[in-house]
C-alpha cells in the first residue's frame, strides 16, 4: 500500500523567489511511469503541472504558471514528485493538490502555500 505524502505545515514562499512544494510516495517507488498532476482545487482551470507518459504535458496549464513549474525527472525515480515553482507571485498563494496515479492505485495530498 502506497501513500502520497506532503508537508504537515504550510509552505512559506517569498514573492520573487523559488519554492519547492514537497510531495513524495512512501514507501519509495519510482513514479516515472505514473501520472503526476499538480492542481489548484476550486479553480475552474486548475492545472498547475501535468506529467504523464514520461513527459511534461502543460498545454492545459494555468497561464500564470507558464514556464515557472518543474518536476525534477531524476527525482521521480526515487518517488519524489515535488514541484519547483519559480519566481513566486502573490497569486500563487493558496491550496494545491499533488495527485499521483499508477495503473493500480492513486492518492493525493494537499499542500498549502503562503506567500510572504
Amino acid at each position: 500500500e502506497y501513500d502520497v505524502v506532503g508537508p504537515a505545515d504550510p509552505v512559506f514562499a517569498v514573492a520573487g523567489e523559488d519554492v519547492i512544494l514537497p510531495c513524495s510516495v512512501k514507501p519509495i517507488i519510482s513514479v516515472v511511469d505514473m501520472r503526476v498532476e499538480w492542481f489548484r482545487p476550486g479553480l475552474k482551470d486548475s492545472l498547475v503541472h501535468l506529467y504523464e507518459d514520461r513527459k511534461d504535458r502543460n498545454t492545459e496549464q494555468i497561464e500564470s504558471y507558464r514556464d515557472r513549474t518543474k518536476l525534477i525527472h531524476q527525482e521521480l525515480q526515487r518517488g519524489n514528485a515535488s514541484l519547483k515553482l519559480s519566481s513566486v507571485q502573490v497569486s500563487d498563494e493558496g491550496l494545491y493538490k499533488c495527485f499521483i496515479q499508477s495503473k493500480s492505485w492513486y492518492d493525493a495530498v494537499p499542500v498549502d502555500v503562503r506567500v510572504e
Side-chain angles (χ1 to χ4, degrees):
E1 182 61 31
Y2 295 100
D3 285 309
V4 176
V5 295
D9 299 310
V11 174
F12 288 94
V14 178
E17 297 190 0
D18 299 350
V19 69
I20 300 280
L21 310 190
C23 177
S24 57
V25 176
K26 296 283 181 325
I28 292 172
I29 182 177
S30 171
V31 297
V32 165
D33 290 310
M34 298 185 193
R35 175 188 177 99
V36 176
E37 185 175 343
W38 279 91
F39 65 97
R40 301 279 310 261
L43 295 186
K44 188 171 80 69
D45 298 313
S46 62
L47 185 68
V48 173
H49 194 100
L50 176 62
Y51 169 91
E52 195 175 27
D53 298 325
R54 293 186 165 232
K55 284 200 174 72
D56 294 304
R57 305 192 180 274
N58 286 321
T59 48
E60 304 293 312
Q61 184 183 43
I62 300 169
E63 191 58 43
S64 64
Y65 289 96
R66 187 74 69 218
D67 299 327
R68 294 196 300 122
T69 61
K70 190 174 187 198
L71 290 174
I72 315 298
H73 288 197
Q74 325 61 293
E75 286 291 324
L76 294 172
Q77 295 165 10
R78 294 191 275 272
N80 181 356
S82 299
L83 185 75
K84 181 180 183 185
L85 183 57
S86 305
S87 308
V88 168
Q89 302 172 2
V90 175
S91 60
D92 295 339
E93 180 162 290
L95 192 64
Y96 291 72
K97 272 213 164 143
C98 172
F99 172 86
I100 301 179
Q101 181 177 28
S102 75
K103 287 179 174 55
S104 56
W105 67 274
Y106 65 87
D107 195 20
V109 73
V111 180
D112 185 18
V113 175
R114 310 273 172 88
V115 178
E116 304 181 304

